Amino acid sequence: MTKKKITRKTRPLKSAILLTLIVPALLLSGCSGGSATPTQTPTPAWASGYVAPAATEIAPLTGIAVAVGSSAHPSLAVKIDNHVAARPQVAIDRTDLVFEELVEGGITRYVAVWQSSIPDQVGPVRSIRPMDPDIIAPFGGLVSYSGGQQQFVDAMTATGQISAIFDYDTTGLFSRSKATAAPHNVILAASEFANRNVTVASPAQQYSYAPTLAGASAVVDGAPISVINTRFSSSSARSWTWNAEATAYLRAQDGAPDLTGDGVQLAATNVVVLRVDVTVDHSIPKTELIASGEASISTGGKTLAATWSKSSQTAPIRLVDAHGVTIRLAPGNTWFQLVPNGTGSTDLVP
């Protein structure tokens, strides 16, 4: 039997192998097409556009929120003349606090306190009285007055305040205005006095404040009162009228609007009336402040009955309601009327 020679058919196998190698290469070559493989752009990270508001703090004598650090300077308390010949006073409308007190002759004078901003000039500056150390000591800053009886000057010096006194000044802080006649024309270079004492600490917060006018104690719990009439003596009558458009009380003296030099009526966010005893010290009326008594707090067109007290010379005046709860003033300026028991009176008109 003849054996047939078997021959392997290797050609088709080789062709298949070659095709297997060539096709992927052609595919890769075709995909490149002479250009780079596209790269995917990464999605950028999300970034917030929120900008945090500047940090704030509470101005110690007004309760207004201000930029942190902007209150880091001392207060300036100045004894201001309120004789009719001294009006209009210089920069009295820029005060944080004003204390109106009875002096001799049935007239009044002011202890005016600036801290939020200190004007270039203030005045007219007059002499100190026996109750002024008790009013001013809690602020721990700067004080200015024209002079006074030596025992009153010594009492003021004993508080540790840095004083600028017209009668003893050799530093050029005082001048005389031509707008009014002497002795009602002594003017203090207030900002210069403050700039010379920038390292003196700012005052401690004296009173409690609500965040807004609507949250003030008198607005929340008080009775609607549109006019606050106070009388210090038979010759000194004051009036405060609530003005909703101005959101403030507008001041009048002796039946006439109390105006600045620019003709703007003086205004207050809070009007605090303290009924006080007045004694006589070396023939000078002295408001007794290390004591307690009745008070009324007016804010936002409403008035709340209160009690005031002051435990020591350096303690602030404390204000509480009928339940003993600390009263919150509205943010803004405050005028204190120290109305004498006996010769003075208060009339609240709805």
Side-chain angles (χ1 to χ4, degrees), residues 8-22:
R8 283 185 184 172
K9 296 180 180 179
T10 58
R11 189 180 302 263
L13 180 60
K14 289 182 179 180
S15 297
I17 294 172
L18 183 59
L19 183 60
T20 300
L21 294 173
I22 289 174

Side-chain angles (χ1 to χ4, degrees), residues 22-115:
I22 289 174
V23 169
L26 289 174
L27 290 174
L28 289 174
S29 176
C31 288
S32 64
S35 61
T37 302
T39 56
Q40 189 174 16
T41 303
T43 302
W46 179 82
S48 171
Y50 173 75
V51 177
T56 61
E57 62 188 16
I58 298 300
L61 303 186
T62 65
I64 296 173
V66 296
V68 169
S70 63
S71 294
H73 55 269
S75 60
L76 169 62
V78 183
K79 195 61 184 288
I80 298 293
D81 198 349
N82 191 35
H83 190 281
V84 64
R87 305 171 195 163
Q89 294 89 350
V90 178
I92 195 74
D93 56 315
R94 293 178 57 186
T95 51
D96 290 354
L97 304 170
V98 177
F99 298 83
E100 185 171 15
E101 60 189 25
L102 180 71
V103 295
E104 58 275 20
I107 64 174
T108 65
R109 287 186 183 172
Y110 303 140
V111 172
V113 186
W114 290 266
Q115 201 274 334

Side-chain angles (χ1 to χ4, degrees), residues 118-148:
I118 297 180
D120 290 339
Q121 295 184 324
V122 302
V125 181
R126 288 306 300 268
S127 55
I128 202 165
R129 290 296 182 268
M131 53 281 196
D132 295 336
D134 293 340
I135 295 173
I136 297 169
F139 305 119
L142 314 179
V143 61
S144 180
Y145 49 98
S146 64

Side-chain angles (χ1 to χ4, degrees), residues 243-294:
N243 186 296
E245 183 178 355
T247 60
Y249 295 89
L250 304 184
R251 177 177 166 86
Q253 294 205 83
D254 304 321
D258 196 1
L259 306 177
T260 69
D262 296 326
V264 178
Q265 193 167 3
L266 295 182
T269 300
N270 306 288
V271 177
V272 177
V273 177
L274 308 185
R275 298 307 304 268
V276 297
D277 288 332
V278 176
T279 58
V280 177
D281 187 348
H282 293 80
S283 302
I284 303 295
K286 179 187 178 184
T287 298
E288 297 293 345
L289 281 176
I290 302 176
S292 62
E294 296 179 353

